[in-house]
Amino acid sequence: MSRKPAHTTDSLLDAAADLAATEGAAAVTMSAVAAAAGAPSGSVYYRFPDRSALLAALWLRTLDRFQSGFLAALRIDPPQQAVIQAAHHVTDWSLRHPTDAAVLLAGPESLGSAQWSAESHEAAATRQRGLDDAVGELADRLGYRDRSDRERLALLIIDLPYAAVRRCARAANADLAHTAEAVDRIVRDAMAGTPPAQHLPEPDDDAGHR
């Protein structure tokens, strides 16, 4: 019976995420990840041929972790509730996963995306296309046909909650939980006048975790 590896891909990426969140992306080097994970350098190079591959893998894993719940929220019925739940997912996920949220906020450029392989770029682009398609499908279900309505939807479910998370990340004494409640109210109010959205329920904290 084979032994489980002492240092898995996820454990090494966890160490990389911690470094990125606490010290910035520049601190994520192969040797630093090995030291943080308590692993020999060979274990890091065995899974990632170079630093660019490591950083790309970190970004893609972060996208997958965020998007799984976000995409599920976008498919909720009725579509008005999907808007509310999708916006809520951004702030709720960030509260639950502050280290991953810090990586997401840092963005691919800070993780050296210019040096990523073509395969990594295509993987990131595939995820973006999936997200764009899901947002477009929600817009269709809402009956949003013109550009201004679709822009309003993007503002409500992406730009507004993302900006709230970024603002709190930059302020030492910010309370993201309080700010998240404000974002929920803004989005609910925006949807309240969109039939048939009367008496819309509060966002469900567990919706993105099923």
Side-chain angles (χ1 to χ4, degrees):
M1 185 174 181
S2 61
R3 293 188 306 169
K4 291 184 178 179
H7 304 286
T8 64
T9 297
D10 267 337
S11 69
L12 296 174
L13 290 177
D14 288 343
D18 286 338
L19 285 168
T22 57
E23 301 180 35
V28 184
T29 64
M30 304 294 270
S31 59
V33 168
S41 295
S43 292
V44 183
Y45 281 100
Y46 178 75
R47 288 168 177 79
F48 310 103
D50 54 31
R51 181 173 182 266
S52 294
L54 169 67
L55 292 172
L58 175 61
W59 177 250
L60 293 172
R61 188 186 73 162
T62 304
L63 282 183
D64 289 341
R65 288 181 169 184
F66 170 75
Q67 287 189 1
S68 61
F70 190 72
L71 293 173
L74 293 176
R75 299 185 182 102
I76 290 173
D77 281 319
Q80 292 81 8
Q81 186 61 27
V83 175
I84 294 168
Q85 198 62 50
H88 178 73
H89 175 76
V90 177
T91 54
D92 180 61
W93 181 85
S94 298
L95 276 167
R96 292 173 183 258
H97 309 285
T99 299
D100 284 335
V103 174
L104 193 67
L105 286 174
E109 292 80 10
S110 73
L111 297 175
S113 59
Q115 283 75 49
W116 292 357
S117 67
E119 181 181 4
S120 294
H121 278 293
E122 179 55 31
T126 297
R127 287 159 174 77
Q128 185 61 51
R129 286 192 295 270
L131 178 62
D132 292 343
D133 289 347
V135 173
E137 289 168 7
L138 176 56
D140 290 341
R141 290 198 291 137
L142 287 162
Y144 290 175
R145 298 289 184 262
D146 62 56
R147 183 172 180 176
S148 62
D149 280 340
R150 287 175 176 259
E151 180 66 17
R152 176 169 169 260
L153 175 61
L155 287 168
L156 286 173
I157 66 176
I158 299 173
D159 297 329
L160 170 63
Y162 188 83
V165 172
R166 180 177 292 281
R167 176 171 171 264
C168 288
R170 291 176 172 174
N173 298 319
D175 183 352
L176 180 54
H178 180 76
T179 302
E181 291 176 2
V183 170
D184 287 344
R185 287 197 299 272
I186 291 169
V187 178
R188 272 201 317 276
D189 288 348
M191 287 291 100
T194 307
Q198 294 82 4
H199 310 297
L200 287 170
E202 299 285 332
D204 181 359
D205 283 337
D206 295 323
H209 308 281
R210 292 172 185 153

